[in-house]
Amino acid sequence: MEMEGVLQAGDAKDWVYKGEGAANLILSYTGSSPSMLGKVLRIKKILRDKSQPSSSCMVFSSYEQLLWGHIPELVGSVKQDCLAQAYAVHVMSKHLGANHVDGGVRVGVSGDFLELVEKNVLNSRPAWRVNASSIDKTADAGLLIADHSLFSGNPRGSDCIAVEIKAKCGFLPSSEYISKENSIKKQVTRYKMHQHLKFHQGEISKTSEYDPLDLFSGSKERICIAIKSFFSTPQNNFRIFVNGSLVFGGMGGGADNVNPAETDKCLEDLSKVSGLELPDFIELLSEAIFKSGVLGNLLTTQKLDDHDIEGAIHLYYNIISQPCSVCKNITDAELLRKYTLLHSLPLDKSLKIVRDFLVSATAKDCSLMISFRPRQGGTTDSEYDSVFLDSVERTYEYKANFVDLDVKPLDKMEHYFKLDQKIVNFYTRNEELVSSLKGSNTKDASLIQLQQ
């Protein structure tokens, strides 16, 4: 779908910085046009360092046409520059549920609009994001999507609290293609191992206590534990919005540690809008995640990766018809036998395994937005699901949507493999360091308060 008209220089003043990920900048609308109210605009970014792998797919290579050729809408969308929209609608919604995926509407943007927007948002963007990427000013369109941090189309409606969770990978792999040296992957989550590498590289000042296995456990008690852990180290995994404005967590995933004053201010805002104290809010969020079952769909989609990157990388080389650069370094005869069998698979099997891996990669990297508002007294018929909170004897309506559902580029497979090896090698080489770090990584006062 496409809207009529093109956003021009004069429209730039109505769009403010909302946040950003690796591939897109998100702008929030502050003007008065009825068709734009309650919407956000997603604009593509380009990396300043061209040697870095792109985090999203802009065009299809001949191999990607082979990979996705069975979905004509996807291949056709590349020419129209609406691949992100088509992938969300024709691929991810099939896995995550159409009612939880918003494909959005394509809207034209002028070069002048993009130039002005880039200037206007510069001071709002985290410095490290500015250094890494800029707006793609060659783009002729953006994607207009409902602002899922608001409940209704009209932000002037009833008060709304929204939570954005980047849940990451929620299972431990069990693939037979994982080498013996990397068997730790079957016992320790990828998220935890990556945290230690990020700490070592100075990207974070403290490792997170969040465990994705808690959030995806299907146990309300463990979901509660996961949510509590977000409050001490939200990093780019957790953000809270009140009536569309960010009150907790970092712009563009820039937050590392949270100071107590920020936590107090957030709790104050939450309490004002909802009348909820923090334990009640955690209970509400846990209950909605538990009751909605949306993480069940997400986990099933993540588990499409049943070969792990250590298996899938071999199928990638099958597809691009190149000698496998991984096999030449293998000395384990049993492992080499397994990999040789992978290299003898027919092309359609190789395509399916790599396609499933890339769909899983999107599911491991997307965010879940859950929005809440108190149900108005006396209303029982509503299109939204609801949770009754015993502690305050009140019913809250909620909705859940997945965002950041971009198709991952096929040529990122080698990057995925190298990063995986780097994360695991660092963790296995530094297990003693990791153990001592764990002992010193005490919970801060705000989290201890949460658990009392």
Side-chain angles (χ1 to χ4, degrees), residues 92 94-97 100 167-171 212-219 223 286-304 363-364 366 368 370 400 402:
M92 297 311 297
K94 304 276 193 296
H95 294 286
L96 301 175
H100 299 300
K168 305 308 283 186
C169 181
F171 71 99
L213 300 185
D214 286 334
L215 192 69
F216 284 93
S217 65
S219 150
I223 293 169
S286 305
E287 183 65 43
I289 290 171
F290 178 76
K291 190 177 175 184
S292 69
V294 286
L295 288 184
N297 286 350
L298 186 61
L299 186 60
T300 301
T301 310
Q302 291 182 355
K303 285 183 173 179
L304 288 172
K364 290 171 186 173
C366 72
L368 173 66
I370 303 189
F402 292 105

Side-chain angles (χ1 to χ4, degrees), residues 279-396:
D280 300 324
F281 175 66
I282 290 171
E283 172 72 15
L284 176 66
L285 182 52
S286 305
E287 183 65 43
I289 290 171
F290 178 76
K291 190 177 175 184
S292 69
V294 286
L295 288 184
N297 286 350
L298 186 61
L299 186 60
T300 301
T301 310
Q302 291 182 355
K303 285 183 173 179
L304 288 172
D305 168 22
D306 56 2
H307 279 59
D308 190 75
I309 187 60
E310 290 188 56
I313 190 68
H314 300 278
L315 290 318
Y316 164 72
Y317 285 110
N318 288 1
I319 293 168
I320 64 168
S321 307
Q322 294 283 329
C324 179
S325 67
V326 177
C327 283
K328 67 182 181 191
N329 299 317
I330 302 294
T331 52
D332 181 330
E334 173 60 17
L335 202 54
L336 196 55
R337 185 188 66 78
K338 287 180 182 176
Y339 292 162
T340 305
L341 285 172
L342 288 178
H343 285 296
S344 67
L345 286 175
L347 181 61
D348 63 334
K349 279 268 177 63
S350 296
L351 288 168
K352 184 183 186 312
I353 292 163
V354 171
R355 196 162 49 235
D356 283 349
F357 178 88
L358 292 174
V359 170
S360 163
T362 296
K364 290 171 186 173
D365 206 32
C366 72
S367 291
L368 173 66
M369 296 282 299
I370 303 189
S371 312
F372 299 93
R373 70 177 175 197
R375 178 170 282 179
Q376 298 306 311
T379 55
T380 52
D381 56 327
S382 170
E383 62 182 297
Y384 299 108
D385 291 319
S386 63
V387 167
F388 180 75
L389 205 55
D390 290 325
S391 56
V392 293
E393 296 186 338
R394 187 147 200 199
T395 300
Y396 290 83

Side-chain angles (χ1 to χ4, degrees), residues 192-265:
K192 179 177 178 178
M193 288 192 282
H194 201 177
Q195 283 284 300
H196 290 292
L197 178 63
K198 284 181 174 180
F199 179 80
H200 170 72
Q201 292 175 330
E203 291 177 35
I204 54 175
S205 60
K206 176 181 171 184
T207 57
S208 172
E209 288 153 16
Y210 167 58
D211 182 349
L213 300 185
D214 286 334
L215 192 69
F216 284 93
S217 65
S219 150
K220 209 166 80 172
E221 289 73 22
R222 287 182 67 187
I223 293 169
C224 264
I225 290 168
I227 292 165
K228 286 175 182 177
S229 70
F230 285 136
F231 276 91
S232 82
T233 44
Q235 291 185 15
N236 71 336
N237 298 99
F238 190 72
R239 301 200 292 166
I240 300 174
F241 300 85
V242 170
N243 292 331
S245 296
L246 183 72
V247 297
F248 185 81
M251 282 283 197
D256 180 4
N257 282 340
V258 175
N259 64 51
E262 187 186 339
T263 306
D264 291 345
K265 172 74 172 70

Side-chain angles (χ1 to χ4, degrees), residues 85 94 111 121 132 144 175 243 271 304 311 352 375 404 425:
Q85 181 185 19
K94 304 276 193 296
V121 303
L144 198 65
S175 167
N243 292 331
S271 185
L304 288 172
K352 184 183 186 312
R375 178 170 282 179
D404 300 335
N425 289 343

